[in-house]
Amino acid sequence: MNNILRIAIQKSGRLSEDSLKLIKECGIRFDNGAGKLKTSATNFPAEILFLRDDDIPGYVEDGVAHLGIVGENVSEESDRDVNTVHKLGFSKCRLSIGVLREHDYSGVQDLEGKSIATSYPKLLGKYLSENNVTAQIHEISGSVEIAPSIGLADAVCDIVSSGSTLLSNGLKEVETIFKSEAVMIASKHLTAEQQQLLDQLLFRIKSVQVAKNNKYILLNCPTNAVDEITKYLPGMKAPTVMPLATEGWCSIHSVINENDFWENIEKIRLAGAEGILVIPIEKMIL
Ligand code: ATP
Ligand code: MG
């Protein structure tokens, strides 16, 4: 069992789908029949455990699982002794404080002496003490947003993504105390073989992530526009420029970053490019 990686992911919830997708995009195949709690990969020395997200940091600390995918919010709150080895870019959300909409809030000092309901007592406690505020932390495990309207607490501290849950409970968001996304955590007691497997997995994850941020682009242009167009298409090393069967025309192939895409595509078109094709890249090895 020293040369197999046991990876814990959330059984069912907001992290599950993207966690499974990531593992599959890394080329790891397994049968995840409904209701299974554990499965073995067929083409990589790995097992997948399906758990509640709150339990994952503890399993990884104990070495029962070697790796885990959880929200940073859960990992930080658990305060377990694990390594955070990579940010995964999905399940982005924030931990925020909300107060009743009619409350005239002017700053964090307004929370002095108030009661705040949360499922994140450690992260909230740290934030309050950093801001020299003493408040009563009311730990509850779910439906936190309802607490102020039923008189259980003056404020809440909970996970927000769009803010619509706060709004529909008559609350407004007043402080963000922690920004979170899914992360990969690892046990501090991996064998040399397991560390090697983790390095292989991270290499694959990074290749998938880089590919998602880039597109393959092909276009035709007059030969005299090549210099201008290639300024916007640096490619991985340099763009490929090939003559077309039509005299005075070329084809350019390159890679373009998603963030620069719309701005550059306009400039490329104005410079004379035609027949522009943009294709997703599945993996990119740098
Ligand atoms: P479990 O049953 O496994 O304990 P849970 O109910 O505690 O699940 P989920 O609601 O599935 O947890 O959320 C899992 C994680 O997804 C959260 O810890 C957080 O990191 C992230 N998350 C929560 N809400 C959102 C959201 N609205 N948008 C994006 N990510 C979110
Ligand atoms: Mg949970």
Side-chain angles (χ1 to χ4, degrees):
M1 276 305 178
N2 286 343
N3 49 9
I4 192 162
L5 268 188
R6 213 176 271 147
I7 309 170
I9 66 171
Q10 190 187 26
K11 180 167 164 44
S12 96
R14 292 178 197 267
L15 294 160
S16 311
E17 197 182 316
D18 285 328
S19 303
L20 283 172
K21 192 160 139 246
L22 181 71
I23 294 173
K24 286 185 180 155
E25 283 171 340
C26 288
I28 297 176
R29 310 214 178 289
F30 54 89
D31 165 29
N32 63 321
K36 271 199 174 180
L37 299 180
K38 186 175 120 181
T39 189
S40 295
T42 53
N43 60 351
F44 193 85
E47 283 176 351
I48 321 277
L49 304 183
F50 300 93
L51 302 170
R52 287 213 42 200
D53 69 343
D54 316 62
D55 295 334
I56 292 175
Y59 274 57
V60 172
E61 180 183 56
D62 297 344
V64 175
H66 309 112
L67 298 182
I69 297 179
V70 277
E72 271 173 303
N73 52 317
V74 166
S75 177
E76 286 295 316
E77 178 67 25
S78 77
D79 209 16
R80 297 289 189 153
D81 192 22
V82 297
N83 286 328
T84 299
V85 290
H86 198 61
K87 294 197 181 222
L88 301 173
F90 57 84
S91 295
K92 289 194 174 168
C93 58
R94 54 194 189 272
L95 190 59
S96 289
I97 295 179
V99 299
L100 284 169
R101 213 162 18 203
E102 54 273 21
H103 185 110
D104 197 10
Y105 184 86
S106 62
V108 65
Q109 67 284 353
D110 282 11
L111 298 169
E112 182 69 35
K114 297 279 167 40
S115 63
I116 310 174
T118 189
S119 308
Y120 296 87
K122 287 194 192 128
L123 287 173
L124 175 59
K126 187 159 161 261
Y127 174 81
L128 293 174
S129 74
E130 279 167 5
N131 285 281
N132 300 314
V133 169
T134 309
Q136 190 197 337
I137 298 176
H138 225 302
E139 185 177 351
I140 52 180
S141 58
S143 306
V144 171
E145 291 88 350
I146 203 177
S149 62
I150 59 173
L152 182 68
D154 302 306
V156 300
C157 172
D158 203 9
I159 292 294
V160 177
S161 63
S162 68
S164 59
T165 312
L166 285 182
L167 270 183
S168 63
N169 284 285
L171 301 169
K172 61 181 175 188
E173 187 176 353
V174 291
E175 305 286 351
T176 296
I177 75 164
F178 188 78
K179 289 206 168 106
S180 179
E181 65 185 90
V183 288
M184 177 156 278
I185 55 172
S187 156
K188 291 197 163 171
H189 310 288
L190 298 181
T191 63
E193 289 96 332
Q194 287 163 344
Q195 183 60 49
Q196 214 171 6
L197 290 171
L198 169 58
D199 291 342
Q200 278 182 35
L201 189 62
L202 287 174
F203 175 79
R204 295 187 189 189
I205 291 175
K206 286 174 194 165
S207 303
V208 171
Q209 286 179 330
V210 176
K212 277 193 185 141
N213 290 331
N214 288 278
K215 300 274 182 270
Y216 191 75
I217 179 166
L218 303 91
L219 58 87
N220 297 330
C221 68
T223 308
N224 61 16
V226 167
D227 288 349
E228 171 73 6
I229 291 175
T230 52
K231 273 200 280 183
Y232 305 114
L233 295 173
M236 286 171 79
K237 200 174 215 118
T240 308
V241 181
M242 288 178 291
L244 282 188
T246 308
E247 184 78 28
W249 280 77
C250 284
S251 167
I252 300 179
H253 295 205
S254 193
V255 168
I256 186 168
N257 189 286
E258 180 92 303
N259 299 329
D260 307 332
F261 180 77
W262 287 113
E263 195 186 333
N264 285 348
I265 209 79
E266 195 51 30
K267 292 178 184 150
I268 290 167
R269 215 171 53 80
L270 287 172
E274 291 180 8
I276 304 171
L277 300 181
V278 179
I279 301 167
I281 300 171
E282 193 179 295
K283 309 273 186 323
M284 205 161 143
I285 316 297
L286 296 176

